[in-house]
Amino acid sequence: MAAEELPSEFDVVILGTGLAESVVAAAFSRVGQRVLHLDRRSYYAGNWASFTFNALLTWIQEHHEESQPEEVQDWSSLLEEGEELIYLSTRGSSSITNLQVFCYASEEDEEEEAPNTTEEDQGGDDEVKETPETESADSNEEEKKQKAGGTPAEEEEEQASQTEGEEPTTSAGQSQSEPTRKKISFAQLVKEGRRFNIDLVSKLMYSRGSLVDLLIKSNVSRYAEFKNVTRILTYRDGKVEQVPCSRADVFASRQLSVVEKRKLMRFLTSCVEETEEQRAYNGRPYLEFLCDQKLGDNLQHFLLHSIAMVTEDTPTEEGLASTRHFLRCLGRYGNTPFLFPVYGLGEIPQCFCRMCAVFGGIYCLRHSVSCLLLDKDTNRCKAVIDSRGQRISCSHFVVEDGFIGADWKREATPTRYLSRAVLITDSSILPSDSDQQVSMVTVPPIAAGCPAVKMVELCPSTMTCMPGTYLVHLTCQSAGSAYQDLSPVVTRMFRTPESHDQESSPTVLWCLYFNMADGSGLEGEGHDLPNNVFLCSGPDAGLGHEHAVRQAQAIFQKILPEEEFCPPAPNPEDIVYDGDNNSPSTPGDGETLEGEEEETPEGEEKVEGEEKEEKVEGEVAKEEKVEGEVEKEEKVEGEVEKEEQSLQTEE
Amino acid sequence: MAIRELKVCLLGDTGVGKSSIVCRFVQDHFDHNISPTIGASFLTKTVPSGNELHKFLIWDTAGQERFHSLAPMYYRGSAAAVIVYDITKLDSFQTLKKWVKELKEHGPEDIVVAIAGNKNDLGDIREVPMKEAKEFAESIAAVFIETSARNAVNVEELFQKISKQIPPLENPEVESNESFKLTRQPAASARRCC
Ligand SMILES: Nc1nc2c(ncn2[C@@H]2O[C@H](COP(=O)(O)OP(=O)(O)OP(=O)(O)O)[C@@H](O)[C@H]2O)c(=O)[nH]1
Ligand SMILES: [Mg+2]
């Protein structure tokens, strides 16, 4: 297939396929604008991308090789009367720094069990394998056996969860502390590399956040599937604990005393609405407010670090606002406020790109814009020149900010960075009945001056890692390099060659540290570029996606203030090819379609798998229940009483 | 009867008749100047298969494959892929192999592959012998059929053949932690009482 020429006229040219750019692309295309969407890279989503293991290794390689000085081609011959050129940076600025990789898995499979490791063998559900006795010769194991003596209870529990569903193997059960797990080698990670979808950013979707709302409103949600984050964990006094956040959790919690349960329910109920008492604390730390509620250390920790997810000096009003947001998001889809897309976050920008494409947007990867053509009189960008020297006229140009040289940016604020770590581990940070948990883990500063770390642990059913492994993402605002910021947490919570006394912790097989520029510094206005050029920043430090969605919407509304932002795409069933005018009826065609959309929003879903529909309705019911109960304090109290009794009888 | 949703994605060079095949299958309609599939995320058609109903969600490439920029999400969760070539264009058959490779790299492991030699109403200007295509399909264990979207030849059959290749649902019990789609229900819940 010979390289086709691109059309030479568009309404909007967009460079970069990160989340904000992709939402912008979908929004414009959806209302009939002609969109050309380019990315210099060979993959979608820029710094929001997710990679297979092998693609990640390539990405790391590329970043190590870093820039040969870029050759700037001279396109001035393409200038017309009254035009001026602005060159873009062809590589994009180095938003990624301090890459460090550590492989703790053995290079090859340790023992020759040659014909056994076929592809089928890896697949399916046999993630737990018997390890021949010989492996105890491994020095690691030996050391481990010596130290493991003290914690029989934990050991037992661990074994129970690991050998579940297998025939009891007494020999293995007795002689080794971790008997049945076959160690995964680096070679296996590579071989199964396609099963990984490793995100460069680590975020979650608030079930009532702006991204979820936008996905639903626009029907882009059709392109992806989601999983609930199943539990909230926190790291405290050297231990990982589950944070009870839904009503069910609170009652089921074994860590909380009955008094604590009652206090927590009362607190959660009372903070739904703003009170005089709360207002009195405005401007003072949320921690102070919590202290004065006399909740006790346990609850205070949960509320501050895991529910509000703020620091000790966050003001009360902010702490309460995030607490309320957390509570509002509970129960919409599951027992935690968060969702995670199957196959990783990198799917989301792609979904918006798909929406853009089905409305006629043209996509071209490995294709960049070299420079902008400026009309000297109007100071507007009239056209761009692409990396092949083609002149493409456009009314608006939207670009990932890395492509814009620093000299165009107004504020010379030093770029802030995020510190990231990605670990592939061999077991969950908190083993439980189910080995398919998706966990959000809050790690408060482990020492004074250390950053608070957000950690997400993904299980294989999220389709982001191979069976038998977990994918762990750590993120914090950077103080030093990613390694400096995060390796102390990794060493404490996981087993690496550097860690001590971590026998029961998951073993790190492979890990990556890097820093990424924090996109929250940039706001759309901060540049001296023509006023029809718009910048999109990269990922920010926030846990949710509000920043990127807000940015995309602001750009759209600035250019097309009259148009609706991402109206729903029609249901597939409603699209009719019209024989007379040769074109399928498009959603813009009539109110009827939009009207129908409103009236039968679930028309499609009804036909969709019945189980699913039922499940969703079930969740709604649950949602109502949870909200209802949080509001009715008395009832809650009553239930605590009941719970109390049943607890007592249990004991 | 249980309805089972099956995502099917279409691949193949531009102009081979992908959209025409979908249009014929879903709406039994053919148009000489079919315009790009504006606004169709995917089209659906439900057909009986054994004691199940298969609801095909058929995804067309929509402007992304033209410059070789198909996103991996296009293949996600596909039960089947139909790779279309034009029997009157040898080129379009040669690029089949590229699409097969692409699927191997990005598609699900257990995906059913079907190869459709389209425009078989134009037998007099045929460039791709049926035998050769069939042999290639066999070599990669793919379904093979020649179709004409124009004359409605073998289009239904193509999807029937795919249906037959889809293994029956192993475990109808839905796992508790199954993934789900986001829908509009929260708004609807307000008026659920009526
Ligand atoms: N004679 C004949 N023409 C066909 C047949 N199927 C499609 N065509 C014609 O081939 C041309 C291309 O068909 P499309 O369905 O648009 O092809 P496509 O693969 O969707 O192309 P892109 O969307 O550009 O990738 C149109 O002019 C169709 O009318 C067929 O079975 N026989
Ligand atoms: Mg088409």
Side-chain angles (χ1 to χ4, degrees):
Chain A
M1 289 186 277
E4 230 183 304
E5 278 260 298
L6 286 170
S8 59
E9 206 189 318
F10 289 89
D11 295 311
V12 188
V13 173
I14 302 172
L15 176 59
T17 49
L19 181 59
E21 300 95 295
S22 301
V23 173
V24 169
F28 279 112
S29 177
R30 180 63 189 83
V31 297
Q33 300 276 303
R34 295 163 304 165
V35 174
L36 174 64
H37 201 172
L38 306 172
D39 201 311
R40 166 186 65 84
R41 305 166 177 98
S42 59
Y43 52 86
Y44 277 89
N47 279 349
W48 304 79
S50 52
F51 295 111
T52 64
F53 188 61
N54 305 303
L56 182 64
L57 295 178
T58 309
W59 179 86
I60 292 167
Q61 193 67 33
E62 281 167 8
H63 280 273
H64 275 314
E65 282 161 8
E66 214 41 272
S67 32
Q68 290 99 349
E70 39 189 77
E71 243 174 65
V72 179
Q73 254 178 300
D74 183 14
W75 297 118
S76 47
S77 60
L78 294 167
L79 280 182
E80 286 171 13
E81 227 4 70
E83 290 176 351
E84 198 180 350
L85 282 182
I86 296 179
Y87 282 92
L88 297 187
S89 148
T90 49
R91 293 193 136 263
S93 71
S94 59
S95 53
I96 307 288
T97 55
N98 301 327
L99 270 167
Q100 279 174 282
V101 179
F102 300 88
C103 180
Y104 302 131
S106 59
E107 276 298 314
E108 296 293 329
D109 292 2
E110 268 160 32
E111 64 267 56
E112 249 88 320
E113 34 152 36
N116 229 355
T117 359
T118 58
E119 230 148 11
E120 301 102 83
D121 205 7
Q122 308 286 331
D125 44 10
D126 61 338
E127 34 200 283
V128 184
K129 289 196 187 155
E130 299 291 334
T131 309
E133 283 291 306
T134 52
E135 216 188 68
S136 61
D138 179 302
S139 62
N140 245 338
E141 288 291 321
E142 203 111 270
E143 193 179 275
K144 201 177 139 170
K145 259 195 289 181
Q146 285 163 11
K147 289 187 187 171
T151 55
E154 265 176 49
E155 244 169 67
E156 245 171 57
E157 219 173 87
E158 199 178 31
Q159 274 174 24
S161 71
Q162 275 169 10
T163 55
E164 208 174 22
E166 287 184 28
E167 282 157 327
T169 47
T170 31
S171 62
Q174 239 91 71
S175 65
Q176 283 173 294
S177 53
E178 205 174 76
T180 55
R181 191 173 297 278
K182 182 187 176 301
K183 287 220 172 121
I184 290 170
S185 66
F186 181 73
Q188 266 174 293
L189 295 179
V190 170
K191 188 158 168 253
E192 297 287 304
R194 276 193 44 186
R195 292 176 180 266
F196 289 91
N197 281 294
I198 303 173
D199 288 315
L200 294 183
V201 290
S202 178
K203 286 176 175 292
L204 295 174
M205 298 164 63
Y206 280 94
S207 72
R208 291 182 197 278
S210 50
L211 182 58
V212 167
D213 287 348
L214 179 62
L215 284 166
I216 292 174
K217 170 183 189 243
S218 62
N219 279 339
V220 172
S221 60
R222 285 207 186 104
Y223 302 148
E225 296 205 347
F226 300 84
K227 276 191 175 297
N228 284 310
V229 170
T230 55
R231 58 186 186 174
I232 311 278
L233 306 177
T234 190
Y235 185 67
R236 190 164 167 243
D237 302 334
K239 282 213 313 263
V240 177
E241 291 175 18
Q242 180 153 1
V243 177
C245 50
S246 72
R247 192 183 143 271
D249 283 354
V250 172
F251 290 134
S253 169
R254 286 177 184 275
Q255 306 118 273
L256 296 184
S257 70
V258 172
V259 175
E260 281 176 319
K261 287 181 185 187
R262 182 186 295 181
K263 276 186 180 167
L264 182 58
M265 286 314 292
R266 189 182 291 154
F267 179 84
L268 293 179
T269 308
S270 71
C271 75
V272 169
E273 262 162 40
E274 202 179 354
T275 62
E276 271 308 314
E277 192 206 350
Q278 292 166 7
R279 243 166 300 185
Y281 284 85
N282 278 2
R284 287 154 63 195
Y286 187 44
L287 182 62
E288 217 176 292
F289 174 73
L290 291 176
C291 281
D292 293 351
Q293 305 298 308
K294 307 251 179 321
L295 295 159
D297 283 354
N298 254 340
L299 297 182
Q300 196 171 299
H301 178 101
F302 291 158
L303 286 166
L304 185 75
H305 297 293
S306 306
I307 292 181
M309 287 185 279
V310 296
T311 62
E312 306 205 332
D313 38 62
T314 305
T316 301
E317 61 275 23
E318 218 175 282
L320 281 168
S322 25
T323 304
R324 287 189 198 114
H325 187 41
F326 185 102
L327 295 175
R328 254 199 318 278
C329 291
L330 277 180
R332 182 176 191 180
Y333 298 103
N335 285 331
T336 75
F338 307 112
L339 298 173
F340 187 81
V342 179
Y343 300 106
L345 294 161
E347 293 296 284
I348 304 295
Q350 292 181 54
C351 290
F352 283 98
C353 291
R354 166 85 184 160
M355 180 59 82
C356 173
V358 302
F359 282 93
I362 292 183
Y363 276 81
C364 212
L365 299 177
R366 298 169 217 88
H367 201 118
S368 193
V369 168
S370 305
C371 46
L372 311 184
L373 282 174
L374 223 62
D375 185 317
K376 279 186 193 156
D377 294 336
T378 58
N379 190 34
R380 283 176 72 84
C381 170
K382 292 168 68 173
V384 300
I385 293 174
D386 75 3
S387 43
R388 295 178 195 163
Q390 188 186 341
R391 183 185 166 116
I392 299 167
S393 62
C394 60
S395 318
H396 303 279
F397 180 61
V398 179
V399 57
E400 179 189 323
D401 77 320
F403 287 96
I404 300 294
D407 34 334
W408 291 100
K409 294 190 185 146
R410 218 167 275 161
E411 297 136 74
T413 45
T415 316
R416 280 189 301 170
Y417 281 88
L418 307 177
S419 285
R420 291 271 296 114
V422 177
L423 323 179
I424 299 172
T425 69
D426 70 342
S427 57
S428 174
I429 187 95
L430 185 64
S432 73
D433 304 345
S434 160
D435 59 358
Q436 298 296 314
Q437 301 269 13
V438 183
S439 314
M440 162 77 205
V441 194
T442 53
V443 186
I446 52 172
C450 290
V453 174
K454 286 182 184 124
M455 181 161 116
V456 175
E457 183 189 75
L458 303 168
C459 62
S461 71
T462 60
M463 309 301 259
T464 58
C465 55
M466 66 181 273
T469 65
Y470 288 80
L471 187 63
V472 182
H473 289 282
L474 292 89
T475 314
C476 69
Q477 291 277 3
S478 77
S481 75
Y483 181 79
Q484 287 163 349
D485 290 342
L486 296 171
S487 68
V489 173
V490 172
T491 325
R492 261 194 213 203
M493 298 181 67
F494 298 87
R495 189 139 56 104
T496 71
E498 284 93 59
S499 53
H500 319 280
D501 313 321
Q502 307 300 65
E503 285 70 25
S504 57
S505 309
T507 299
V508 177
L509 302 170
W510 184 90
C511 71
L512 162 69
Y513 295 93
F514 63 93
N515 289 100
M516 182 188 282
D518 178 350
S520 57
L522 179 109
E523 289 304 330
E525 308 283 296
H527 64 77
D528 291 319
L529 291 159
N531 62 6
N532 62 339
V533 174
F534 300 85
L535 299 192
C536 291
S537 55
D540 65 319
L543 182 60
H545 297 76
E546 336 306 300
H547 180 72
V549 172
R550 197 179 339 112
Q551 202 169 51
Q553 187 162 7
I555 291 172
F556 179 82
Q557 281 166 349
K558 194 154 238 184
I559 300 176
L560 295 175
E562 306 289 296
E563 294 277 0
E564 187 180 349
F565 181 63
C566 294
N571 284 322
E573 282 79 4
D574 298 336
I575 293 170
V576 178
Y577 285 90
D578 189 334
D580 295 330
N581 58 17
N582 292 339
S583 70
S585 82
T586 57
D589 282 1
E591 273 89 281
T592 46
L593 202 57
E594 305 282 312
E596 271 166 35
E597 185 76 14
E598 283 305 309
E599 298 222 342
T600 55
E602 284 162 300
E604 190 199 5
E605 280 79 25
K606 247 168 228 150
V607 201
E608 253 174 41
E610 274 136 80
E611 302 117 325
K612 242 181 231 169
E613 174 68 9
E614 240 155 63
K615 192 177 158 213
V616 170
E617 290 193 13
E619 274 156 6
V620 175
K622 197 160 67 192
E623 168 204 0
E624 283 166 347
K625 208 167 110 197
V626 170
E627 287 197 342
E629 270 158 16
V630 169
E631 274 152 32
K632 285 174 213 149
E633 186 170 355
E634 259 164 43
K635 191 171 162 208
V636 170
E637 287 288 301
E639 304 228 347
V640 175
E641 232 77 78
K642 218 162 48 196
E643 189 72 14
E644 233 167 84
Q645 281 164 12
S646 72
L647 276 175
Q648 276 159 2
T649 49
E650 231 172 70
E651 246 92 286
Chain B
M1 232 185 317
I3 295 186
R4 222 175 127 188
E5 286 190 356
L6 299 171
K7 175 174 169 182
V8 178
C9 57
L10 282 154
L11 296 169
D13 279 9
T14 182
V16 295
K18 298 183 293 293
S19 304
S20 301
I21 287 176
V22 187
C23 186
R24 172 60 75 191
F25 179 57
V26 174
Q27 290 167 353
D28 199 15
H29 175 75
F30 179 79
D31 201 311
H32 275 282
N33 305 305
I34 192 168
S35 67
T37 329
I38 301 269
S41 306
F42 47 81
L43 294 172
T44 67
K45 178 161 173 165
T46 307
V47 295
S49 168
N51 45 16
E52 289 179 335
L53 282 177
H54 283 174
K55 180 179 181 184
F56 288 108
L57 313 182
I58 308 165
W59 289 45
D60 200 347
T61 50
Q64 283 183 304
E65 103 291 8
R66 198 160 141 209
F67 299 98
H68 318 296
S69 303
L70 218 47
M73 64 79 70
Y74 183 70
Y75 308 99
R76 298 285 192 224
S78 292
V82 181
I83 313 179
V84 185
Y85 69 94
D86 176 345
I87 66 153
T88 72
K89 296 240 162 56
L90 191 56
D91 268 5
S92 74
F93 179 67
Q94 273 151 0
T95 44
L96 254 184
K97 300 194 171 86
K98 190 204 88 180
W99 289 115
V100 171
K101 184 166 164 274
E102 170 99 9
L103 264 182
K104 279 234 165 69
E105 272 166 33
H106 298 292
E109 271 163 296
D110 47 358
I111 193 167
V112 171
V113 179
I115 291 175
N118 191 39
K119 307 198 188 177
N120 95 334
D121 52 291
L122 301 176
D124 46 332
I125 51 166
R126 171 193 290 275
E127 286 185 7
V128 184
M130 169 125 95
K131 183 161 172 285
E132 195 182 322
K134 201 168 176 181
E135 277 170 11
F136 174 71
E138 273 163 17
S139 75
I140 58 160
V143 168
F144 174 76
I145 197 164
E146 280 196 357
T147 56
S148 167
R150 184 179 167 189
N151 295 351
V153 176
N154 282 345
V155 175
E156 300 256 341
E157 287 77 359
L158 166 67
F159 286 89
Q160 278 165 13
K161 280 187 170 219
I162 291 172
S163 263
K164 286 209 192 90
Q165 295 291 310
I166 304 284
L169 219 48
E170 290 151 24
N171 186 9
E173 280 287 293
V174 193
E175 263 183 70
S176 61
N177 64 350
E178 224 210 352
S179 51
F180 51 89
K181 290 219 164 86
L182 303 184
T183 62
R184 291 167 191 280
Q185 39 53 47
S189 74
R191 40 169 214 252
R192 198 163 290 272
C193 48
C194 342

